[in-house]
Amino acid sequence: MGVLLQDLHVRVPGVDGRTGETPILEGVTASLREPRTAVLGLNGSGKSTLLRVLNGLMRPSSGRINVHGIDVVASPRRARRAVGFVFTDPTAQLLMPTPLEDVELSLRDELGDPGRRRQRAMDLLEEMGLGHRMHHSVYDLSGGQRQLAALTSVLAVDPSLLVLDEPTTLLDHRNRARFLELLGDLPQQVVFSTHDLALAAAADRVLVVHGGRLVADGGPELVDRYGAWCVDGFPGEGTQNDDGAAGA
Ligand SMILES: Nc1ncnc2c1ncn2[C@@H]1O[C@H](COP(=O)(O)OP(=O)(O)OP(=O)(O)O)[C@@H](O)[C@H]1O
């Protein structure tokens, strides 16, 4: 079992005069069985969209997605239970006032007893290095601490696939090192997008997305070949931050 993407297209209304639609992903096909997959690409290339379709947050216009035996398009609710997703900016996904309450909320279906639920939530936050912040308002946490709190809540329910959108963007050096260690230890299959080339090079599989298309798919050696382009821009194009959405 793994993650299967078959001829995936995502289009949104607008812009193109001929079709009235903007293509965001075009014909993405990949079968991912490796423990760690990194998705590389410039800003606007389609990385987040590729991740969002994995748990049904975004519906493809056409194509198949199967995650660990679940047809994501047909069963988006099952997919959301199986696929833990951590956003680049996790503020929106922390639903409760404090990290402790947020992790407790995640655990509500797993542990009926409030005392055991609280203890489990405290243990998980301690393991993540957030014990000293568990009672603070999520708005008083730093961006990196919020990201770790969101990750704790997601991991609390033991998803079979973990999807992380630019997981190290908000982390300082120490928390990035802690995150890398955690990534090495997690039993789950993980798919993550990143602009962090060292993080991508540590993955088993690398997908390079450009203009909504999968332009390269292979091992971590692709980081040497494509990494600089994914940071500075692809040859023959403008500079970084060009919007790389799929053209008509
Ligand atoms: N719902 C939507 N409606 C219209 N356009 C969208 C929508 N979702 C994404 N896009 C556009 O599709 C393109 C790809 O977006 P996406 O967020 O997947 O890029 P990304 O590679 O993750 O970029 P970044 O590195 O900046 O996070 C962008 O041009 C974005 O503006």
Side-chain angles (χ1 to χ4, degrees):
M1 284 212 295
V3 175
L4 179 74
L5 306 170
Q6 204 171 47
D7 199 19
L8 208 61
H9 289 257
V10 175
R11 301 182 197 97
V12 293
V15 182
D16 187 280
R18 191 164 40 85
T19 62
E21 290 182 323
T22 303
I24 295 183
L25 286 182
E26 291 201 276
V28 173
T29 295
S31 172
L32 311 175
R33 293 183 184 279
E34 294 76 5
R36 306 288 177 255
T37 296
V39 183
L40 280 178
L42 290 166
N43 289 136
S45 57
K47 299 181 300 297
S48 300
T49 305
L50 182 54
L51 301 188
R52 281 182 191 163
V53 296
L54 293 178
N55 80 337
L57 272 174
M58 197 153 183
R59 274 177 80 84
S61 313
S62 61
R64 278 187 59 213
I65 314 154
N66 192 292
V67 172
H68 299 173
I70 300 169
D71 179 332
V72 175
V73 178
S75 310
R77 288 184 65 181
R78 273 186 73 202
R80 273 195 279 277
R81 276 199 295 275
V83 181
F85 196 106
V86 181
F87 293 86
T88 311
D89 178 359
T91 313
Q93 77 185 104
L94 290 167
L95 301 175
M96 299 298 285
T98 67
L100 180 59
E101 289 165 290
D102 203 77
V103 180
E104 285 180 298
L105 179 69
S106 276
L107 289 167
R108 72 194 180 288
D109 292 335
E110 317 277 310
L111 290 173
D113 176 65
R116 287 185 56 213
R117 193 158 63 224
R118 171 147 294 210
Q119 190 55 54
R120 178 85 185 119
M122 290 168 86
D123 291 346
L124 290 170
L125 285 161
E126 286 287 355
E127 281 170 28
M128 201 63 88
L130 278 179
H132 63 304
R133 287 284 183 266
M134 68 173 92
H135 298 290
H136 285 236
S137 162
V138 293
Y139 292 103
D140 292 339
L141 302 182
S142 72
Q145 289 167 339
R146 267 184 231 157
Q147 207 161 33
L148 291 174
L151 184 58
T152 313
S153 286
V154 164
L155 287 175
V157 292
D158 200 19
S160 67
L161 175 71
L162 190 61
V163 177
L164 310 172
D165 199 357
E166 297 180 25
T168 54
T169 307
L170 300 173
L171 303 183
D172 65 16
H173 186 70
R174 188 187 45 152
N175 275 327
R176 182 177 173 281
R178 182 181 276 149
F179 172 80
L180 279 174
E181 205 177 303
L182 177 78
L183 195 64
D185 292 343
L186 287 173
Q188 283 92 352
Q189 188 179 10
V190 183
V191 179
F192 60 92
S193 70
T194 189
H195 297 283
D196 178 338
L197 299 183
L199 183 65
D204 312 292
R205 178 92 169 256
V206 173
L207 306 180
V208 181
V209 181
H210 186 60
R213 295 179 189 275
L214 188 57
V215 294
D217 177 0
E221 69 280 357
L222 287 185
V223 177
D224 283 341
R225 197 161 153 211
Y226 288 91
W229 295 355
C230 291
V231 174
D232 299 327
F234 277 56
E237 297 188 337
T239 51
Q240 188 185 3
N241 292 334
D242 277 0
D243 193 314

